[in-house]
Amino acid sequence: MAFSSLNEFLAMGGHGPYVWAAWGVTALLMLVIVWHARHERRQLLRGVKRRVRRENAHRDALQRGAVAHSPTAQVPVNSVQGDVRNDA
Amino acid sequence: MWAFINKLRSPKWFYAISTKLQPWFWAVAALLLVVGTVWGLVFAPADYQQGNSFRIIYVHVPAAFLAQSIFVSMAVSGVVFMVWKIKVADMAAAVMAPLGAAMTFIALFSGAVWGVPTWGTWWMWDARLTSMLILLFLYLGVIALRGAFSSRDSGSRAASVLAMVGVINIPIIKYSVDWWYTLHQPATFTITGRAAMPMEMWLPLLIMVLGFYCFFIALTLTRTRSEILRREVNKRWVRELVEEAS
Amino acid sequence: MHAAPGGLLVAVSATFKRDLTLMLRRRGEVLNPLVFFALVITLFPIGISPDPELLASIAPGLLWVAALLAALLSLDSLFRGDYDDGSLEQLLLAPHPLAALGLAKVAVHWLLTGLPLALMAPVLGIMLALPAGSYAVLALSLAVGTASLSLIGAIGAALTVGLARGGVLLSLLVLPLYIPVLIFGAGAVQAAILGDGIAPHLAILGALFTVSLMLAPWAIAASLRISING
């Protein structure tokens, strides 16, 4: 071990602010990156689930014949296609 | 080889395989980073010249390595995408760019902070720092170009071309900046440019570098999976997958 | 698509002549980079100091940076006009390699931007008290260097031609790639002032030009295809 006490470790031989600033920013940025990846994944899963639920509900409604002849029947399906950028 | 490339064509296959792989990479990355941090910060001896400020090396050098490697990986993914039309490669390239820019920033920031005890100033036009700064601009260019197109496919292809042009230029830029730096003969020495490093300083550095690389692979797998979900929402397998999960 | 009488050479020289004629008709666009170059050089003595000694020490870098920015300024219009009136699409449909036709356009760009800038630089060098003996090197290094700049810059111009506001993005894409040319171009002038050998610098500038001449046309062609089909 290169240090004999906690205070010595924190002081880093007078270079404390520099060492801790570099390490701190690195650690913080990497934690933010990991958090962002998790957050993004949850949001996406939630979005897909919501979409599936909405479409299932719509399909059930169609089967019951409630909106079968309505001109708006296709709208939810179109909206699903609509907000996806073209992947030609 | 061809069988592998054909499998890569299927985002579903990639999703399945990366779901299996990613916990391992995250675990190894966490282990290596914790071991490397404790070793580098607590157990490695202080440098006889720079004292304890040299401990910045354990974040500066891995970040600088990764910054360059990620650009190369991004360009390779771009080639794979352009030549074999493999969408997963482009998704990977898209998620690599911000991480590469972040790593370049870490290398720049830690280098600048390291400069204060070493050179007595926050910024020196040191060869390594200057190349890093240029690399950051290259990353920002690729990210901005991808975002500027309204069609995703055009953005992907444009970013791939730019990444390839950039990767050819990186060694040229590095060489010319090194040459320019030696020509102007600054009075100081480069922060990491020392020949021999004792084993007990060098091993934790190796561990940190490996940890950063595992972190990169793990994050790329995780975020590529998210990107697949984003782009393949309308595919049946994604829906089945989500319904299974809930 | 019409049948092509004659071969590739005819097509390339036709593109070259057409672009040259078009550009010469729009004299303003040809003159703008030159005026910009002179203006930027005027700003520095005003902003820093009229002291000839100080100016002489920074003149090689200043002249090179200002010329580089002037060349950058004209890049956005390299493919823009052809993109807007649809003649770029015709170029894509032509039965000749797009890389060669693109190269003809880049050659016109250099002839009407890079070369005039190189010829004008010594005059501005006098105004910055550039030491004697480096004027020829300044012009020569700029002539070779701007050829690389036109080639590399054309890749960025081709990538951004389809975008509504491509101008700022273009400089972000292209400027980092310009750095090696700047280093060796300004280095050549610096070496001439110090009395060192200029051959290595000019050799490397030539090498950079050769590499960009070999690789850039393919990147330009690929980028134009993306911008038009996308």
Side-chain angles (χ1 to χ4, degrees):
Chain A
M1 216 185 280
F3 304 98
S4 53
S5 72
L6 183 66
N7 276 339
E8 210 177 292
F9 173 62
L10 289 177
M12 282 281 161
H15 294 312
Y18 312 117
V19 174
W20 295 121
W23 277 81
V25 166
T26 308
L28 191 72
L29 203 57
M30 282 171 98
L31 286 176
V32 167
I33 288 169
V34 172
W35 174 83
H36 168 254
R38 280 177 63 105
H39 178 75
E40 172 191 53
R41 183 166 169 74
R42 283 197 186 146
Q43 291 266 314
L44 279 167
L45 282 176
R46 206 175 299 151
V48 178
K49 267 181 209 161
R50 202 181 300 132
R51 185 171 285 185
V52 169
R53 211 178 311 127
R54 199 170 54 212
E55 280 169 34
N56 285 348
H58 181 69
R59 196 188 52 213
D60 295 348
L62 270 182
Q63 277 168 357
R64 281 199 308 274
V67 285
H69 302 293
S70 154
T72 55
Q74 289 301 311
V75 169
V77 181
N78 282 342
S79 75
V80 167
Q81 307 276 322
D83 54 5
V84 176
R85 291 207 277 174
N86 61 322
D87 267 306
Chain B
M1 178 71 189
W2 281 109
F4 178 70
I5 285 176
N6 274 325
K7 272 185 182 166
L8 266 182
R9 274 183 208 289
S10 150
K12 187 184 173 186
W13 178 82
F14 185 87
Y15 193 93
I17 201 86
S18 57
T19 308
K20 274 184 216 144
L21 284 177
Q22 65 156 1
W24 294 101
F25 277 104
W26 278 118
V28 173
L31 183 73
L32 287 173
L33 288 176
V34 168
V35 171
T37 301
V38 174
W39 196 345
L41 274 180
V42 184
F43 290 98
D47 186 69
Y48 71 99
Q49 243 182 334
Q50 300 187 40
N52 283 309
S53 71
F54 103 98
R55 290 179 204 282
I56 296 176
I57 202 177
Y58 297 120
V59 291
H60 177 76
V61 166
F65 275 8
L66 209 51
Q68 291 169 4
S69 305
I70 292 178
F71 205 98
V72 175
S73 323
M74 202 169 74
V76 170
S77 305
V79 173
V80 171
F81 170 64
M82 294 290 270
V83 173
W84 290 293
K85 306 274 176 279
I86 293 172
K87 283 185 190 164
V88 173
D90 175 58
M91 300 183 200
V95 301
M96 278 177 202
L99 181 68
M103 284 300 148
T104 317
F105 174 77
I106 289 179
L108 272 177
F109 181 82
S110 56
V113 170
W114 198 353
V116 183
T118 315
W119 301 317
T121 168
W122 288 91
W123 183 263
M124 265 288 261
W125 290 96
D126 161 76
R128 182 194 289 268
L129 286 184
T130 310
S131 322
M132 273 294 140
L133 186 63
I134 299 168
L135 187 62
L136 182 63
F137 290 133
L138 286 175
Y139 270 119
L140 295 181
V142 173
I143 295 172
L145 186 66
R146 182 185 287 275
F149 283 84
S150 53
S151 135
R152 177 185 286 151
D153 190 55
S154 302
S156 301
R157 290 193 291 153
S160 302
V161 169
L162 187 64
M164 287 182 231
V165 172
V167 90
I168 294 171
N169 266 276
I170 284 175
I172 300 177
I173 292 173
K174 217 170 152 41
Y175 166 74
S176 36
V177 168
D178 283 348
W179 182 88
W180 160 82
Y181 186 66
T182 45
L183 181 83
H184 291 270
Q185 284 188 343
T188 52
F189 60 103
T190 46
I191 34 184
T192 50
R194 236 166 316 111
M197 206 188 239
M199 188 71 134
E200 61 265 40
M201 285 164 129
W202 181 81
L203 262 183
L205 183 60
L206 180 71
I207 291 177
M208 282 303 269
V209 169
L210 291 176
F212 268 66
Y213 273 94
C214 283
F215 178 83
F216 160 53
I217 296 171
L219 189 83
T220 306
L221 289 179
T222 301
R223 290 207 60 209
T224 305
R225 288 168 78 235
S226 301
E227 196 67 22
I228 291 174
L229 283 187
R230 198 198 313 272
R231 294 196 197 179
E232 309 263 299
V233 224
N234 290 326
K235 297 280 162 67
R236 174 170 295 177
W237 71 269
V238 172
R239 288 160 184 253
E240 281 166 1
L241 190 100
V242 171
E243 276 174 337
E244 260 172 48
S246 58
Chain C
M1 201 193 299
H2 59 89
L8 179 59
L9 266 177
V10 178
V12 169
S13 72
T15 313
F16 183 83
K17 276 182 202 147
R18 171 188 170 275
D19 269 40
L20 199 62
T21 320
L22 271 178
M23 282 301 280
L24 285 176
R25 279 193 197 144
R26 284 174 291 177
R27 284 208 194 91
E29 264 181 52
V30 178
L31 286 177
N32 274 345
L34 299 175
V35 176
F36 176 85
F37 187 28
L39 253 172
V40 170
I41 290 301
T42 315
L43 293 181
F44 279 103
I46 296 173
I48 300 169
S49 145
D51 173 29
E53 255 177 61
L54 176 68
L55 286 177
S57 69
I58 54 172
L62 283 190
L63 287 161
W64 249 93
V65 171
L68 185 148
L69 292 177
L72 179 74
L73 189 71
S74 61
L75 271 181
D76 194 41
S77 59
L78 180 53
F79 298 115
R80 179 76 63 194
D82 285 356
Y83 180 82
D84 288 342
D85 67 15
S87 42
L88 208 53
E89 251 166 282
Q90 298 301 314
L91 221 58
L92 244 77
L93 293 172
H96 303 290
L98 185 57
L101 303 179
L103 192 61
K105 289 177 131 353
V106 176
V108 172
H109 179 259
W110 174 77
L111 207 61
L112 294 181
T113 317
L115 195 60
L117 285 173
L119 295 175
M120 189 181 167
V123 180
L124 298 172
I126 298 172
M127 292 164 70
L128 289 181
L130 190 71
S134 58
Y135 286 81
V137 178
L138 175 68
L140 187 62
S141 69
L142 272 174
V144 181
T146 48
S148 314
L149 297 186
S150 290
L151 282 163
I152 300 167
I155 303 173
L159 281 172
T160 53
V161 71
L163 303 173
R165 274 178 296 276
V168 185
L169 185 60
L170 173 63
S171 32
L172 174 62
L173 304 187
V174 160
L175 279 179
L177 304 176
Y178 276 2
I179 284 167
V181 180
L182 173 65
I183 287 176
F184 289 104
V189 185
Q190 199 78 259
I193 294 174
L194 297 173
D196 299 343
I198 54 157
H201 300 83
L202 292 180
I204 293 176
L205 274 183
L208 288 174
F209 169 65
T210 315
V211 172
S212 21
L213 187 64
M214 283 191 306
L215 299 179
W218 309 107
I220 295 168
S223 309
L224 285 177
R225 289 216 168 81
I226 293 166
S227 286
I228 287 175
N229 297 335

